[in-house]
């Protein structure tokens, strides 16, 4: 079927009358893969900023739709990205999670979100939409917006959704069987899986669940109490005031008590209580929600814990890990004292299981297709699309006279001196009406920069004190502040600062994993000698993503300062061909600043 796809005929010329050079190259490679029986699918493209990737993904899916395919998904990392796809191509349907939709159940206050109600317990909801027929439980009732979007998606067409939605509705619940899928920002897919499949149980939630099921399921309540006691003993002994990677013998003890709990029985008893009038679906909403949530968590824990034990997996090593953490003293607003978290790690077979053969994955930062395929499981035909952005419009500086901020290499005052140097230089640019973005790794570094920037007279903008990162970025785009400050996690990716909004970027240091972090410890055990190759690849991606925040079109002019000498180990080698001419690694700090000032004066 793939040989008969008409890619050029599916290209949206009505919205993009002029096809870009990068798009033409990408479609030529896609066409060659489709026509070559020996070519491997999926197709993976490294496509620079400005290539027009979204239109290419739309074209790929539209071509399949034109030959009769029905379940077609365009998957992106977050809601904002999904909305952008729909804005560009209004015929694309959008699917979001429960928390984006109101609940219409009779008696609930207006504005109640679908994610806040025990939906699985409310089987008699008049607004429930049958996913196969589209009929409501009560004929003529208004349709549940969340379930209605699922029904509409099953009727065919291109659907834009987040990576997380795809995991829940394709992999876990198997509500869809995609015929073709586009994965945007594909380098983030493995981490998206790990985030979605992370599950936690806390003492607070267990106590709430025990109170909720005390009358409906007294025997299960006793078993929950036994597991809570086991959880407390483990955390008190190994993980007070620190996150601890649990060993197999500790996990086994927890697993023994957890296995005695019957999550299905908890939900069945609650539903029976609703049917008999012992629990009211509106009055006892919180109780029912607690039972629903703890049942799902217990079920998930029971399923996943076996994958944390090396003897229980076909590969002979753990595929997930367990983190324990606890607080010696509770603050006035704290609710949770003891916590267990299971994190899936080896997600490759899950990704491969979810994706059909007709998968088109792309990102501006693939760097190394071998490591990319090792991390994501997406193996196929790889091609790097050249950029037509003029390299003379950008610079990537790595000064020769800045400190090496690696823990074992830096002197006592190196980090503070370096952060002050960045603040002073950002103020110098601000005095010339040039705004900047400062990206650090830790929250401690962010707070230190704010302190020193204030001393230097630099007007900064950051998140916190009730301001989320997204709102902070919006205010900066609107013109507030001379310098935007944030961590790599919040502002190193997914933030667009085009048209000289912030033509200067400072990256303090690469975000190598902390040795005390449980994931780091797990990777050291699991990957051994291969771990540094993976860690190096991740910091390469972070650097390239950060560099691309301020150069979003061929007309943008922007520079990036890589500060720590740690970057010298990989910076130039990670650059695609079109960026190598922009690299400056043999100049001192002052020479870099002057060169940047001259370049930016061309605006």
């Amino acid at each position: 079927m793939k040989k008969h796809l008409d890619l050029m005929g599916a290209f949206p010329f009505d919205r993009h009358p002029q096809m870009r050079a990068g798009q033409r190259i990408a479609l030529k490679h896609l066409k060659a893969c489709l026509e070559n029986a020996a070519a491997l699918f999926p197709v993976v493209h490294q496509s620079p900023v400005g290539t027009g990737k979204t239109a290419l993904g739309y074209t790929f899916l539209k071509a399949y739709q034109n030959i009769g395919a029905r379940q077609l998904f365009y998957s992106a990392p977050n809601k904002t990205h999904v909305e952008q796809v729909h804005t560009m191509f209004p015929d694309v349907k959008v699917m979001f999670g429960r928390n984006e939709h109101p609940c219409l159940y009779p008696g609930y206050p207006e504005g109640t979100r679908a994610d806040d109600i025990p939906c699985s317990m409310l089987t008699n909801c008049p607004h429930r939409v049958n996913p196969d027929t589209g009929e409501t439980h009560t004929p003529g009732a208004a349709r549940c917006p969340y379930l209605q979007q699922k029904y509409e998606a099953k009727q065919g067409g291109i659907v834009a959704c987040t990576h997380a939605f795809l995991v829940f509705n394709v992999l876990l619940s198997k509500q869809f069987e995609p015929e073709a899928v586009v994965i945007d920002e594909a380098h983030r897919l493995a981490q998206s899986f790990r985030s979605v499949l992370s599950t936690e149980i806390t003492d607070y939630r267990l106590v709430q669940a025990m109170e909720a099921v005390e009358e409906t399921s007294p025997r299960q309540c006793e078993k929950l109490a036994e597991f809570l006691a086991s959880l407390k003993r483990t955390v008190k002994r190994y993980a007070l005031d620190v996150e601890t990677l649990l060993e197999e013998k500790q996990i086994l003890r927890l697993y023994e008590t957890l296995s005695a709990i019957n999550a299905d029985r908890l939900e069945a008893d609650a539903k029976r209580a609703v049917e008999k009038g012992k629990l009211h679906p509106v009055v006892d909403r919180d109780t029912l929600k607690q039972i629903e949530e703890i049942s799902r968590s217990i079920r998930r824990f029971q399923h996943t814990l076996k994958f944390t034990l090396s003897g229980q997996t076909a590969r002979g090593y753990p595929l997930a890990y367990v983190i324990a953490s606890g607080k010696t003293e509770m603050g006035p607003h704290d609710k949770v004292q003891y916590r267990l978290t299971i994190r899936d790690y080896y997600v490759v077979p899950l990704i491969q299981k979810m994706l059909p053969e007709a998968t088109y994955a792309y990102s501006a930062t693939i760097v190394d297709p071998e490591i990319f395929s090792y991390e994501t499981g997406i193996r196929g035909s790889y091609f790097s699309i050249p950029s037509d952005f003029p390299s003379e419009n950008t610079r990537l500086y790595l000064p020769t006279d800045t400190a090496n901020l690696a823990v074992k290499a830096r002197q006592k005052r190196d980090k503070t001196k370096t952060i002050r140097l960045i603040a002073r230089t950002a103020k110098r640019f601000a005095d010339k009406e040039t705004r900047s973005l400062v990206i650090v790794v830790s929250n401690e570094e962010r707070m230190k920069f704010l302190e020193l920037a204030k001393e230097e007279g630099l007007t900064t903008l950051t998140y916190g004190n009730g301001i989320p990162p997204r709102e902070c970025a919006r205010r900066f785009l609107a013109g507030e502040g001379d310098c935007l400050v944030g961590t790599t996690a919040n502002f190193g990716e997914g933030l667009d600062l085009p048209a000289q909004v912030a033509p200067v970027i400072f990256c303090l240091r690469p975000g190598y994993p902390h040795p005390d972090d449980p994931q780091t410890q797990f990777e050291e055990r699991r990957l051994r000698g291969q771990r540094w190759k993976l860690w190096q690849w991740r910091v390469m991606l972070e650097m390239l993503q950060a560099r691309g925040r301020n150069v979003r079109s061929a007309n943008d002019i922007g520079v990036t300062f890589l500060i720590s000498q740690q970057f010298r180990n990989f910076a130039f080698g990670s650059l695609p061909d079109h960026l190598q001419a922009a690299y400056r690694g043999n100049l001192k700090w002052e020479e870099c600043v002057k060169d940047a000032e001259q370049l930016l004066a061309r605006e």
Side-chain angles (χ1 to χ4, degrees), residues 12-116:
F13 285 105
D14 56 331
R15 300 182 183 92
H16 299 274
Q18 193 70 28
M19 184 180 290
R20 300 174 187 176
Q23 291 173 328
R24 196 173 296 278
I25 293 170
L27 288 179
K28 182 178 179 181
H29 179 254
L30 268 174
K31 185 173 184 291
C33 292
L34 292 168
E35 294 176 346
N36 183 357
L40 294 176
F41 262 70
V43 172
V44 179
H45 282 169
Q46 178 169 263
S47 301
V49 172
T51 307
K53 295 188 288 291
T54 306
L56 288 170
Y58 175 85
T59 299
F60 180 78
L61 296 175
K62 193 69 176 178
Y64 272 94
Q65 184 181 19
N66 289 344
I67 60 172
R70 294 175 59 79
Q71 295 196 11
L72 309 164
F73 287 87
Y74 188 111
S75 180
N78 52 55
K79 175 187 171 184
T80 301
H81 202 142
V82 170
E83 290 174 334
Q84 289 174 353
V85 175
H86 178 64
T87 299
M88 293 176 66
F89 303 102
D91 59 315
V92 172
K93 301 174 183 178
V94 170
M95 295 207 335
F96 290 131
R98 292 181 182 276
N99 61 328
E100 300 295 333
H101 299 281
C103 176
L104 306 181
Y105 191 84
Y108 285 159
E110 186 176 350
T112 300
R113 311 308 293 177
D115 199 39
D116 296 328

Side-chain angles (χ1 to χ4, degrees), residues 500-520:
Q500 278 59 62
V501 169
V504 179
I505 297 175
F506 298 95
C507 296
L508 179 64
R509 63 183 178 91
Y512 287 107
H514 195 283
D516 294 333
D517 182 78
Q519 179 170 319
T520 304

Side-chain angles (χ1 to χ4, degrees), residues 135-441:
E135 298 175 354
T136 53
H137 182 77
T138 299
R143 297 169 175 272
C144 167
Y146 173 69
L147 296 178
Q148 177 64 17
Q149 70 167 1
K150 285 191 174 183
Y151 169 73
E152 291 176 355
K154 287 193 173 185
Q155 306 316 299
I158 301 173
V159 175
C161 65
T162 63
H163 294 339
F165 192 97
L166 209 60
V167 174
F168 280 123
N169 291 276
V170 174
L171 178 67
L172 298 181
S173 66
K174 299 180 174 60
Q175 296 187 38
F176 297 92
E177 295 182 3
E179 297 170 71
V181 171
V182 166
I183 304 293
D184 202 343
E185 301 290 359
H187 67 281
R188 295 175 60 177
L189 189 60
Q191 197 56 44
S192 293
F193 263 65
R194 291 174 184 141
S195 298
V196 170
L197 298 176
S198 176
T199 308
E200 72 173 27
I201 291 183
T202 66
D203 58 329
Y204 175 71
R205 180 174 289 183
L206 283 168
V207 169
Q208 283 190 309
M210 288 161 55
E211 293 174 352
V213 304
E214 188 173 6
E215 292 187 11
T216 59
S217 301
R219 180 61 184 139
Q220 297 303 314
C221 183
E222 293 176 7
K223 295 176 180 179
L224 286 170
E226 291 173 6
F227 177 65
L228 175 59
S230 180
L231 185 157
K232 287 183 176 180
R233 284 194 301 270
T234 301
V235 174
K236 285 179 180 179
R237 186 171 181 180
Y238 303 106
L240 280 179
D241 302 319
V242 65
E243 286 193 336
T244 301
L245 180 68
L246 292 186
E247 304 293 341
E248 290 199 6
K249 61 181 181 180
Q250 299 157 357
I251 297 171
L252 278 169
R253 284 195 288 267
L254 289 166
Y255 188 60
E256 289 174 0
T257 54
L258 183 66
S259 298
I261 303 170
N262 189 328
D264 293 338
R265 182 63 181 271
L266 284 172
E267 287 191 336
D269 289 345
K271 289 178 180 179
R272 195 156 37 244
V274 172
E275 293 170 1
K276 293 182 178 181
K278 294 181 179 180
L279 291 176
H280 191 278
V282 176
V283 176
D284 299 308
R285 182 186 79 181
D286 292 341
T287 296
L288 292 170
K289 185 63 177 175
Q290 292 298 331
I291 297 173
E292 182 185 65
E293 289 185 349
I294 200 65
S295 298
R296 288 176 178 172
S297 296
I298 293 292
R299 197 178 289 115
R300 176 73 184 148
F301 254 71
Q302 290 171 336
H303 173 72
T304 309
L305 266 181
K306 62 183 178 182
F307 296 113
T308 68
L309 306 172
S310 57
Q312 300 295 315
T313 65
R315 293 178 174 270
Y317 51 73
L319 306 181
Y321 58 98
V322 184
I323 302 171
S325 60
K327 298 177 181 179
T328 303
E329 297 182 5
M330 297 279 282
H333 303 294
D334 289 338
K335 294 181 178 179
V336 174
Q337 186 169 15
Y338 307 107
R339 186 191 313 268
L340 286 178
T341 306
I342 293 185
R343 292 183 180 168
D344 280 40
Y345 180 81
Y346 187 62
V347 295
V348 165
L350 301 178
I351 293 175
Q352 292 175 335
K353 182 179 180 181
M354 184 187 75
L355 297 180
E357 180 189 20
T359 293
Y360 178 26
Y362 45 70
S363 168
T365 51
I366 300 292
V367 181
D368 187 327
E370 289 299 318
I371 300 179
F372 169 79
S373 65
Y374 174 82
E375 176 82 338
T376 65
I378 301 178
R379 296 177 175 88
S381 300
Y382 172 79
F383 189 72
S384 181
I385 310 299
S387 173
D388 57 0
F389 278 24
S391 61
E392 60 269 20
N393 281 9
T394 188
R395 296 284 189 277
L396 193 68
Y397 299 111
L398 180 46
T400 59
D401 54 348
T402 53
N404 186 330
L405 298 181
V407 174
K408 294 182 179 180
R410 69 183 182 228
Q411 301 298 314
K412 185 176 181 180
R413 297 285 297 169
D414 277 351
K415 185 181 281 190
T416 299
K417 290 179 180 178
T418 302
I419 292 175
R420 184 178 290 280
L421 177 64
I422 297 172
R424 189 170 293 159
T425 306
K427 179 63 167 66
R428 174 172 167 178
F429 280 114
D431 289 342
K432 296 184 178 182
E433 298 185 346
T434 300
R435 303 164 84 204
S436 58
L437 167 67
V438 172
I439 300 175
V440 296
V441 174

Side-chain angles (χ1 to χ4, degrees), residues 405 410 415 419 438-450 462-463 485-490 507-512 514 542:
L405 298 181
R410 69 183 182 228
K415 185 181 281 190
I419 292 175
V438 172
I439 300 175
V440 296
V441 174
S442 69
N443 195 54
E444 173 265 328
E445 292 166 349
R446 181 175 70 95
M447 299 309 293
K448 188 65 176 179
F449 181 86
L450 295 175
T462 193
Y463 42 86
V485 186
T487 61
T488 304
N490 284 307
C507 296
L508 179 64
R509 63 183 178 91
Y512 287 107
H514 195 283
E542 287 181 355

